Amino acid sequence: MAYDPSALPDVSALSVAIIGGTGDQGRGLAYRLACAGQRVLIGSRQAARATASAEEISALPGVTRPVEGGANADVAAAADLTIIAVPWAGHRDTVSALRKPLAGKLVVDCVNPIGFDSHGPFPLLVDEGSAVQQAAALLPESTVAAAFNHVSAPLLADPAVESMDLDVMICTEDRHLAGVVAALAARIPGMRGIYAGRLRNAHQVEALTANLIAINRRYKAHAGFRVTDV
């Protein structure tokens, strides 16, 4: 079936929390969604830090709705959908602490377990199979997807970049959530959300980030992925 953006659900009224919203990836996603008019709440372990970051993002060109900030648990409880965008080293502790506020909620994990050594980036082994499978195990009352794993943080954060020429691969067990995430992605100009299988397929999606980092270093680029014939 061909990609049909008109078939996507209306997510304009959806509130989105970004856990790790003070980091590069989280800030970039917050900025782009705020430019689209989405209600965005960014979280941090320190509420004051999140509030300061939200004020900085709100002042950027193109933002049509001010970003809000607060403690992780507070923004997760207030939002309809939460994006996990924390460093891999803190993933387990951060996610496990949010089990209660995220119960019954939609959760998107964009964390990539990547290591670095003298030979460059490489994917790390995860006991559960992938970062998103770890999140799903820690959040049994939530509906979980992997997405936004390959989006360039510098491009997201750059107001001069008007369009993001890439596809977002979505892995989830839930068809409704796949549509919601695809619709959110489509709110960012140039971006598409593409269903890429169940959670068990997320390992290779996350691991591809190591290849992208290697490509970007070699060619001094901000590469992304496009899926052909869809």
Side-chain angles (χ1 to χ4, degrees), residues 13-222:
L14 202 71
S15 56
V16 179
I18 301 179
I19 305 300
T22 58
D24 292 341
Q25 188 83 347
R27 283 174 61 93
L29 286 170
Y31 171 55
R32 293 292 169 169
L33 291 174
C35 286
Q38 208 78 37
R39 184 192 178 202
V40 179
L41 309 91
I42 61 173
S44 173
R45 288 176 295 179
Q46 301 176 4
R49 185 181 177 196
T51 299
S53 184
E55 291 174 352
E56 292 172 3
I57 297 168
S58 299
L60 292 173
V63 172
T64 61
R65 183 168 184 168
V67 177
E68 303 165 54
N72 284 339
D74 293 336
V75 300
D80 301 307
L81 180 146
T82 293
I83 298 174
I84 307 295
V86 299
W88 169 243
H91 184 264
R92 181 182 293 276
D93 289 345
T94 300
V95 173
S96 61
L98 296 174
R99 176 172 175 170
K100 184 175 180 180
L102 289 177
K105 300 291 188 72
L106 304 177
V107 178
V108 175
D109 196 301
C110 66
V111 176
N112 299 307
I114 301 295
F116 297 87
D117 61 17
S118 59
H119 297 288
F122 62 95
L124 298 174
L125 296 177
V126 179
D127 290 342
E128 295 86 351
S130 63
V132 71
Q133 286 172 296
Q134 183 182 94
L138 295 169
L139 302 171
E141 296 88 18
S142 304
T143 306
V144 181
F148 300 110
N149 299 83
H150 305 139
V151 184
S152 167
L155 293 184
L156 283 172
D158 187 352
V161 176
E162 296 181 357
S163 180
M164 303 284 293
D165 184 22
L166 58 87
D167 289 330
V168 171
M169 286 188 276
I170 305 164
C171 293
T172 183
E173 309 295 322
D174 189 89
R175 180 173 296 184
H176 170 70
L177 179 53
V180 168
V181 176
L184 276 178
R187 302 210 76 195
I188 302 174
M191 196 177 289
R192 293 191 310 173
I194 302 292
Y195 175 69
R198 295 177 178 270
L199 293 182
R200 66 184 183 182
N201 290 344
H203 167 71
Q204 57 264 36
V205 172
E206 296 171 3
L208 272 171
T209 304
N211 300 89
L212 274 180
I213 294 171
I215 290 168
N216 290 337
R217 286 183 171 183
R218 174 64 177 83
Y219 297 102
K220 296 180 173 56
H222 297 291

